[in-house]
Amino acid sequence: MTEDASRLLQWCAAFQVADGHEVLHLAEVARFCQFARGEVVFRQGEPASSLYLVESGLLKVSRLSASGRELTLGLSGPRQLVAGIGAFAEGAVLGAGCLALEDSRVLVLPADEVRRITAHSPALAAAVLSYFARRHADLLAQMEDLLFSDLNARLAAHLLDRKTQVDGYALPTNSELAALLGTVPELVSRKLGEFYRQKFIGLEKRSVKILDESALLGLAGRSR
């Protein structure tokens, strides 16, 4: 178990510069947890006492407004940290909640130990800062897409970002996908149907394969 944790930590960009002793210590104090599809990983407002590093599966991070509306902030897959930045402030609470969209295996790291080790390693602190700066930039880009691009572009970009999954991308429910794309489930269903009829994608039991990458790149405003 410790060996699996050490390997995963070394694969994560935030911890790649940590020396062997630091990685081993974090691996020894961490624990793996299994989350079934639809299971809550953590809730908004809970103490930010842990960092979550995904080994396998897919997690959705979202925030609820006072009126109960959900805003999906992002999806996190293998080798990505979840709820990381809040855990670096002692006494902080989580500003968002997290749900498993697929059966997932996650390494749970005690935040106090990560803070202690990072504080004594300038190289590790710089790597962690760089990692979260990139994640913040990704979040800003996502917010920009929600504000300024149409649904065709957002859905095409979402599918393209997951095209590396050889066996097809297992779609979340229409409600979950709508929350991620900033729309409503009915429009998601309609757009997926349009993409299917135009042979941009193949659909089988909620598993999507890209058939016409050029068409999706055009809709997303991207080049190869």
Side-chain angles (χ1 to χ4, degrees):
M1 192 73 71
T2 300
E3 184 178 343
D4 289 346
S6 294
R7 187 181 303 111
L8 180 59
L9 286 164
Q10 290 169 335
W11 283 339
C12 176
F15 296 107
Q16 284 176 346
V17 300
D19 67 32
H21 295 296
E22 293 167 343
V23 169
L24 180 59
H25 176 71
L26 286 174
E28 288 173 341
V29 298
R31 70 186 190 282
F32 277 105
C33 292
Q34 295 284 154
F35 296 95
R37 175 184 170 89
E39 187 174 355
V40 172
V41 179
F42 55 80
R43 289 181 170 82
Q44 183 176 325
E46 291 181 345
S49 57
S50 300
L51 285 81
Y52 302 82
L53 177 54
V54 182
E55 181 187 55
S56 62
L58 187 66
L59 305 183
K60 177 184 75 171
V61 178
S62 61
R63 182 175 175 84
L64 288 176
S65 69
S67 63
R69 182 182 177 185
E70 181 186 36
L71 173 64
T72 298
L73 301 177
L75 304 181
S76 294
R79 306 183 188 182
Q80 290 187 318
L81 278 171
V82 184
I85 195 68
F88 282 89
E90 190 171 352
V93 298
L94 295 166
C98 182
L99 185 77
L101 293 184
E102 301 173 359
D103 292 345
S104 303
R105 189 175 190 232
V106 180
L107 186 67
V108 182
L109 297 151
D112 56 351
E113 285 301 305
V114 176
R115 286 196 302 269
R116 186 183 65 79
I117 287 176
T118 303
H120 290 85
S121 172
L124 179 56
V128 168
L129 182 62
S130 176
Y131 178 86
F132 285 116
R134 291 194 300 273
R135 293 298 299 271
H136 181 66
D138 290 343
L139 179 58
L140 290 178
Q142 180 188 339
M143 294 300 103
E144 183 176 323
D145 284 344
L146 287 175
L147 289 171
F148 300 116
S149 64
D150 65 19
L151 182 55
N152 281 329
R154 299 199 300 273
L155 179 56
H158 176 82
L159 296 173
L160 287 166
D161 288 342
R162 285 146 189 86
K163 70 183 177 71
T164 55
Q165 300 182 22
V166 177
D167 296 328
Y169 166 48
L171 281 172
T173 67
N174 284 350
S175 294
E176 292 166 341
L177 191 53
L180 180 66
L181 299 178
T183 185
V184 295
E186 292 78 9
L187 286 180
V188 166
S189 179
R190 185 185 307 167
K191 288 299 179 184
L192 285 170
E194 289 177 7
F195 282 15
Y196 175 76
R197 287 189 294 275
Q198 294 174 87
K199 297 184 171 17
F200 296 167
I201 60 173
L203 269 174
E204 184 177 353
K205 295 181 179 178
R206 299 294 294 178
S207 181
V208 174
K209 286 189 176 181
I210 292 178
L211 303 180
D212 190 341
E213 185 175 352
S214 294
L216 293 184
L217 285 168
L219 287 172
R222 298 181 180 180
S223 58
R224 286 187 181 275

